[in-house]
């Protein structure tokens, strides 16, 4: 059977890495192209900056309220996994920022209210994508709890005051950190691949959620070096937010939202892709 006659049915055949690679989806971008996206995002931030700042303040207050709720209800043992999981749902929360960058690109004026009421061209599919991302968050949270139980059994969570000494002062703690980082890295890589372009795509085009997520993964896979570097930049800036007690979210979250739109334009919207 020739290559042109090959067809795929359920589990009868699977595609390999060679077939996943698609020269049409390769952009030939420099490894650190993300700095140019950040620069473009910074320019968007300072065009009518009040709306971007208000958006950042809203995300900051939402994050603080969520952390307070975890501590108040005795769920502080999932605080660190929850902070990591924030990066999974962040692309969904940034839809209004994508809308502002798109409006700037098209020469339209947009205010804070219009950012909050952005109407994705994919309609309700964007909420389906958000639901899938939330389910991934729940899976990661459950995996984190099970991981703690595997290393420390039924030992009660020692509280935020003692967790650092337990993790860095015991062999079990170090081992859990290594294993947890590896497992969390797999979750993070998958979440990044399916969401980095899918949510902007759902705002910009009439596609369904699964197609957008699959397209996002293909684009990441075929532009791996710049996308790995971009993911590292996102992680570093999010770590800066955490280091400032989430206050940095006020500026950094809008910056990353605008920059992500420019990443989408550079990778997913290049001419001739059909995406």
């Amino acid at each position: 059977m020739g290559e042109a006659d090959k067809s795929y049915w359920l589990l009868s055949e699977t595609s390999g890495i060679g077939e996943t690679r698609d020269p049409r989806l390769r952009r030939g971008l420099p490894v650190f192209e993300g700095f140019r996206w950040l620069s473009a995002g910074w320019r968007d931030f300072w065009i009518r900056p009040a709306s971007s700042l208000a958006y950042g303040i809203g995300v900051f207050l939402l994050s603080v309220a969520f952390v307070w709720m975890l501590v108040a209800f005795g769920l502080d043992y999932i605080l660190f996994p929850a902070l990591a999981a924030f990066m999974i749902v962040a692309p969904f929360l940034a839809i209004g920022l994508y809308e502002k960058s798109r409006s700037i690109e098209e020469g339209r004026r947009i205010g804070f209210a219009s950012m909050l009421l952005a109407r994705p061209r994919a309609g309700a599919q964007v909420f389906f994508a958000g639901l899938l991302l939330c389910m991934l968050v729940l899976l990661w949270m459950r995996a984190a709890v099970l991981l703690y139980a595997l290393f420390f059994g039924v030992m009660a969570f020692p509280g935020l005051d003692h967790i650092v000494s337990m993790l860095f002062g015991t062999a079990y703690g170090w081992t859990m950190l290594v294993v947890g980082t590896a497992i969390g890295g797999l979750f993070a890589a998958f979440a990044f691949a399916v969401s980095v372009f899918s949510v902007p795509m759902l705002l910009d085009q009439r596609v369904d959620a699964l197609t957008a997520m699959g397209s996002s993964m293909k684009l990441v896979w075929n532009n791996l070096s710049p996308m790995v570097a971009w993911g590292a930049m996102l992680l570093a800036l999010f770590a800066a937010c955490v280091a400032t007690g989430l206050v940095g979210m006020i500026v950094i979250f809008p910056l990353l939202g605008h920059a992500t739109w420019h990443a989408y334009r550079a990778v997913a919207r290049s001419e001739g892709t059909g995406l």
Side-chain angles (χ1 to χ4, degrees):
M1 182 172 62
E3 188 69 24
D5 299 325
K6 181 180 283 189
S7 60
Y8 299 100
W9 296 93
L10 296 179
L11 300 179
S12 60
E13 293 187 72
T14 57
S15 61
I17 295 297
E19 292 168 334
T20 304
R21 293 284 190 183
D22 189 344
R24 296 173 299 173
L25 301 180
R26 298 174 190 171
R27 305 293 177 252
L29 298 172
V31 174
F32 295 108
E33 182 71 2
F35 287 115
R36 191 185 68 81
W37 301 335
L38 287 173
S39 177
W42 188 243
R43 289 195 301 270
D44 286 357
F45 182 96
W46 285 108
I47 296 175
R48 297 183 293 278
S51 57
S52 295
L53 281 171
Y55 207 99
I57 291 171
V59 173
F60 165 70
L61 294 176
L62 183 65
S63 302
V64 170
F66 181 72
V67 171
W68 176 86
M69 183 188 69
L70 291 180
V71 175
F73 287 91
L75 299 173
D76 51 346
Y77 62 91
I78 61 171
L79 176 59
F80 293 112
L83 289 174
F86 175 82
M87 296 190 69
I88 298 177
V89 298
F92 180 74
L93 297 176
I95 289 177
L97 298 166
Y98 306 150
E99 178 65 16
K100 178 184 173 182
S101 288
R102 183 175 70 164
S103 298
I104 292 171
E105 186 179 277
E106 296 175 352
R108 296 185 286 112
R109 293 185 63 85
I110 185 173
F112 181 64
S114 299
M115 292 168 64
L116 293 179
L117 300 174
R119 299 181 63 180
R121 288 177 179 167
Q125 287 294 317
V126 71
F127 298 106
F128 181 53
L131 177 61
L132 293 176
L133 292 176
C134 288
M135 291 175 65
L136 185 60
V137 166
L138 293 176
L139 181 61
W140 160 238
M141 302 284 276
R142 178 53 56 188
V145 172
L146 290 175
L147 186 66
Y148 178 87
L150 285 174
F151 283 93
F152 294 102
V154 295
M155 180 189 299
F157 184 71
L160 297 176
D161 296 337
H162 301 93
I163 186 63
V164 174
S165 60
M166 187 180 78
L167 290 178
F168 293 97
T170 65
Y172 280 126
W174 276 104
T175 307
M176 191 186 79
L177 283 173
V178 172
V179 175
T181 300
I183 296 175
L186 292 175
F187 273 96
F190 177 76
F192 173 76
V194 300
S195 66
V196 64
F197 297 129
S198 61
V199 180
M201 189 179 296
L202 289 166
L203 174 71
D204 190 45
Q205 303 182 39
R206 291 183 61 85
V207 295
D208 64 272
L210 295 180
T211 297
M213 288 181 164
S215 298
S216 180
M217 181 170 285
K218 286 194 300 181
L219 287 162
V220 170
W221 181 250
N222 284 279
N223 300 276
L224 198 56
S225 296
M227 295 313 301
V228 168
W230 178 236
M233 294 178 196
L234 296 179
L235 181 60
L237 288 171
F238 179 70
C241 290
V242 175
T244 59
L246 301 180
V247 175
M249 196 84 71
I250 296 173
V251 173
I252 291 177
F253 188 84
L255 169 63
L256 292 180
H258 293 312
T260 298
W261 174 260
H262 290 281
Y264 162 72
R265 289 288 291 163
V267 178
R269 287 285 302 275
S270 294
E271 292 187 13
T273 66
L275 292 172

